[in-house]
Amino acid sequence: MPPRSEEPRRDAMGSRRGSSRDGRGTDPRSGEPGVGGISDARAYTPRGRTIREGGGTARTGVGGAEQRRTPRGGRSGDPFRPALQVLDGGRSGAARTGRREAPAGARGGVVRTVSARPVREPFDDDEVPPGRRPGPRRPERPAARRPVRKKRRPPKLADPRRRLRLGTLLALALFTTIGIRLVYLQTVDTPAFADGGLVNRLTVVELPAPRGTIYDRTGAPLAHSIEARYVYADPPKVKDRVATAKLLSPLLGVPASDLADRMKERTLPGTSIKSRFEYLARGVPIDKAKQIMALELAGIGTHRDERREVPGGDLAANLLGFVSQDMIGLEGLEAKYDDLLRGQPGRKRYESGRGDLAAPIPGGFSETTPPKPGSSLALTLDRDLQFQAQRILSTQMAQTRNSVGAAVILEPSSGEVLAQVSYPGYSTAAPTKVNSPADREDAATSFVVDPGSIHKAITYGAALQEGVITPDTVFPVANTITRGGVVFKDTHPANGQRMSIPGMLAFSSNVGTIEIAEKLGPDRLIDYQKRFGLGQRTGEGMPGEAAGRLLPANEWSGSSYGSVPIGHSVDATPLQMAAAYAAIANDGTYVQPHLVKATIDPEGKQTPAAAPRTWPVLSPQNATALRRMLEAVTTIDNGPGERATGLAAAVPGYRVAGKTGTGSRYVDGKLQPGAVGSFIGMAPAEKPRYVVAVFVWSPGGEGSALAAPAFREIMGFTLHHYRVPPSATDKSPKFEVFPR
């Protein structure tokens, strides 16, 4: 077999390396054979450089011998020419470098050039690809001398793993900070941030508290609250205030200008928040509210409310009074006991949307304070008795013009007021429709008058109790008497005849009464006036009650000795005088008149009112004697000239004891024209159950003719209403006016 060294070496693709058969083995620059193909291309790559560029030497040798090789022509090597070349079959390699013969049996034709390790430059890379052996370096043609350029070191690239770790740490730190802040906001600052914006999202709706009911003694309601509606506006949502007000005005009975003003946008006091709720009307009937809602007006709504109603219309209106639209008592018992009757309104606050989503937010803030209903009052009034007394008094008063009247019905034993009537009256549904605010007052407690002759019962009672007179006392009575330059005379002159005490009461003798009072003295008379309750408020329960006035003894003038005993120079109210006669009817014991029987809490528990004050005024014997003498006023009828003044007050079938009176009225210290006619009586006289007082003031002086008939009808109805047996077995005693 021919030596393998004679065969040209082939590359991996099967082509012969270093062959010049087709001319591809020739060096393109030197023209030397043996270099070409892939090996030549490999030699031009940077990884092929193994010698210093610019004309360095190479050491070659065979068997460890080293030889120096200088590029041909003395030029420096191409900087991109490989430092090692694979020689073609040893033809040119033998000429340039020493070659060692291969031993027999070995691969022939291959010459290996062994060179010393070259000096390594910064950009040299003499590593040989795996599986390739470096061959002998082919001498290079000397290159043209080129200027040597300073090599710059490329920038050192950062380690990507370090960048990744740094980025991860930064991201974790950022997320940790955000997480801690979120936890802090959700746990620590949640209430502060939530409350900060809560006010702007809250809708507040007032929940009215039902006002307590006022009952009569039988449990019938005199004034109570019924379900109604209130109409409100949400000002920011009202589109056209003027047009909306014009539509609501006829339904609410409120001027359109007032409604338009209430719909203006306002800022809540102390805040920058705009009001979302303004009342337009309270206590609107439900049917009216339905008509309003049917209009579908933007920003207008209704909600549950209450309205005060007096079933009797004007029944006891002067006593009960009335309330405002906000259910606050303004007059009468409604005002006096407003704190008791008025409940505590509730309130509902909740988060709601705005605009078209103005509805509660599910799961949002919601707080409800339930309303607390007010307590109720149980009065001593009897609804039926009150109604009839009002009817009777109004009928009698219709005979006069511009007059004022009052009527009181008392139960002497308990001091309970069964009826208390004022004229003129009014309807609580329209409290402003009166001629004067005074027409709404309770005349029984605010109508201050000179009581006149009805005061004589106090003078005679004091004289009996002090022993100045007895029921059998008789003395001559002149037609007139002068005191302090003032002449006092009798309407029924006795012409100096001896007159009995019952006769003096029956004919209302001024002269006889003044003579008895002189024996009593001013101090004792004033003391008994106080014992009978004059000069001080009764404490019945009505607001604005007048106390009246008594003339102190040190202020008496000469005429006072004549005027005070017969009921002048004394200021009293109809209720005070009624309570004084009730003391006579109650065997001489005064019982404070009162209107309130009990209070009833929202759960229905009744608490009786405080017991009325009581004190003795007369002994039972003297009280009985005085009642018998007062019967003469309604019974003596001895023909023309000898008829008692109170015959018109007699109640058929019952013994009646009472007294007529004619007094004066002063307003702001000025004497008013006309006169005050009155009658106060009790029945049955043998054991009185009720006391009725009637007062009538009229500019024309017709009161005296109206009071007694009104008393008769009111007392008659009261006795029949309570089924009091007639006095058939106890006839009235016979009285002598002028005993012989």
Side-chain angles (χ1 to χ4, degrees), residues 164-180:
L164 180 61
R165 284 194 292 269
L166 180 60
T168 302
L169 289 177
L170 290 176
L172 290 176
L174 178 62
F175 285 123
T176 301
T177 303
I178 294 174
I180 293 174

Side-chain angles (χ1 to χ4, degrees), residues 176-458:
T176 301
T177 303
I178 294 174
I180 293 174
R181 182 59 177 165
L182 287 176
V183 171
Y184 184 82
L185 291 176
Q186 291 292 330
T187 57
V188 179
D189 283 354
T190 296
F193 281 97
D195 293 343
L198 184 61
V199 178
N200 296 326
R201 304 189 303 273
L202 282 184
T203 296
V204 181
V205 176
E206 183 174 325
L207 305 177
R211 188 176 179 86
T213 301
I214 300 179
Y215 299 99
D216 80 335
R217 66 188 299 110
T218 65
L222 296 174
H224 64 113
S225 297
I226 61 174
E227 184 178 353
R229 297 289 183 269
Y230 64 75
V231 181
Y232 68 93
D234 185 349
K237 296 178 66 177
V238 177
K239 295 180 179 179
D240 189 335
R241 293 187 298 110
V242 176
T244 302
K246 289 181 179 179
L247 291 173
L248 292 177
S249 180
L251 293 174
L252 298 179
V254 180
S257 58
D258 291 348
L259 294 176
D261 183 66
R262 297 177 194 177
M263 296 180 201
K264 288 183 180 178
E265 294 191 23
R266 292 178 175 83
T267 301
L268 296 177
T271 68
S272 59
I273 303 170
K274 289 187 177 181
S275 173
R276 303 297 305 271
F277 182 90
E278 294 291 338
Y279 280 118
L280 297 182
R282 299 289 303 271
V284 178
I286 296 177
D287 57 338
K288 293 286 186 182
K290 289 181 178 179
Q291 295 180 39
I292 292 172
M293 293 308 295
L295 296 176
E296 297 182 354
L297 300 173
I300 303 300
T302 63
H303 200 273
R304 187 184 183 280
D305 197 11
E306 61 174 329
R307 179 167 58 89
R308 202 64 167 172
E309 183 180 73
V310 176
D314 62 346
L315 184 69
N318 298 74
L319 278 179
L320 301 176
F322 59 94
V323 299
S324 67
Q325 285 190 344
D326 296 331
M327 304 301 288
I328 298 175
L330 298 180
E331 289 188 11
L333 294 176
E334 295 277 19
K336 174 73 174 182
Y337 298 97
D338 183 65
D339 292 339
L340 179 72
L341 294 169
R342 183 172 51 176
Q344 298 181 8
R347 186 175 63 170
K348 183 176 182 181
R349 300 192 304 157
Y350 60 89
E351 286 185 274
S352 63
R354 293 293 181 260
D356 295 336
L357 300 178
I361 298 176
F365 173 83
S366 179
E367 180 185 67
T368 301
T369 303
K372 295 181 179 180
S375 298
S376 299
L377 284 178
L379 302 184
T380 60
L381 295 179
D382 186 314
R383 182 178 62 173
D384 295 337
L385 204 58
Q386 179 76 22
F387 173 78
Q388 288 296 336
Q390 282 188 211
R391 183 190 63 79
I392 294 169
L393 184 63
S394 298
T395 301
Q396 294 293 332
M397 298 296 292
Q399 302 177 40
T400 66
R401 298 181 61 184
N402 302 321
S403 56
V404 178
V408 178
I409 304 176
L410 286 176
E411 186 176 65
S413 59
S414 64
E416 293 182 353
V417 179
L418 302 180
Q420 190 160 305
V421 182
S422 298
Y423 182 91
Y426 72 98
S427 174
T428 56
T432 60
K433 294 182 179 180
V434 292
N435 296 328
S436 169
D439 292 345
R440 296 194 299 259
E441 294 178 357
D442 172 52
T445 56
S446 64
F447 188 45
V448 179
V449 299
D450 277 355
S453 294
I454 56 176
H455 180 272
K456 293 174 181 176
I458 295 175

